[in-house]
Amino acid sequence: MSDCLFCKIAAGDIPSAKVYEDELCCAFRDIAPQAPTHILVVPKEHIGSCAEITDANAALVGHIFTVIAKIAAEEGLTGGYRVISNVGADAGQSVPHLHFHILGGKRMPDQMV
Ligand code: AMP
Ligand code: ZN
């Protein structure tokens, strides 16, 4: 999608602090971190949110979760971490391109799961 921030970051057209990249997805540090480690993992293909996950892209989403586990290990998140994907306005999704937040490096609040 030509007017999508995370499509542009994934394509390298907008700079980011990338920590991982392969042919299907990439990961970069969140510009406004909410934890000592706060990384976003996004598919290179435009998918709007979890609401658009289908049988056709489920393997890609599964692959992203293997990448999440690798990144968490590389970041040394041995104490645990949280994976979040906001979907739509009520959840506060601000970028309409599927992304998974990896948050770690501190004890997460007990509220909001
Ligand atoms: P969400 O609110 O779940 O849609 O998450 C979007 C995230 O993207 C927020 O945590 C933002 O801080 C982050 N963000 C927005 N623009 C950029 C950018 N240019 N580089 C890295 N992260 C960004
Ligand atoms: Zn996009």
Side-chain angles (χ1 to χ4, degrees):
M1 228 167 103
S2 58
D3 197 26
C4 171
L5 175 61
F6 286 175
C7 279
K8 287 179 183 165
I9 287 177
D13 296 337
I14 289 179
S16 68
K18 276 197 179 138
V19 298
Y20 178 88
E21 182 162 21
D22 64 26
E23 66 282 11
L24 297 174
C25 68
C26 71
F28 50 92
R29 296 197 188 275
D30 196 291
I31 205 166
Q34 295 186 32
T37 296
H38 186 171
I39 290 168
L40 302 173
V41 189
V42 309
K44 290 191 169 176
E45 167 191 334
H46 183 86
I47 299 170
S49 74
C50 288
E52 294 180 15
I53 295 173
T54 65
D55 287 342
N57 56 32
L60 167 58
V61 175
H63 171 71
I64 286 175
F65 272 83
T66 70
V67 168
I68 287 171
K70 270 186 222 159
I71 291 171
E74 277 165 16
E75 292 286 318
L77 302 178
T78 53
Y81 55 95
R82 191 165 281 176
V83 179
I84 294 175
S85 191
N86 292 319
V87 182
D90 278 1
Q93 183 181 5
S94 60
V95 180
H97 178 123
L98 178 64
H99 53 282
F100 296 95
H101 298 255
I102 305 172
L103 295 147
K106 71 169 188 182
R107 181 74 171 90
M108 297 294 146
D110 289 336
Q111 293 301 308
M112 293 306 289
V113 311

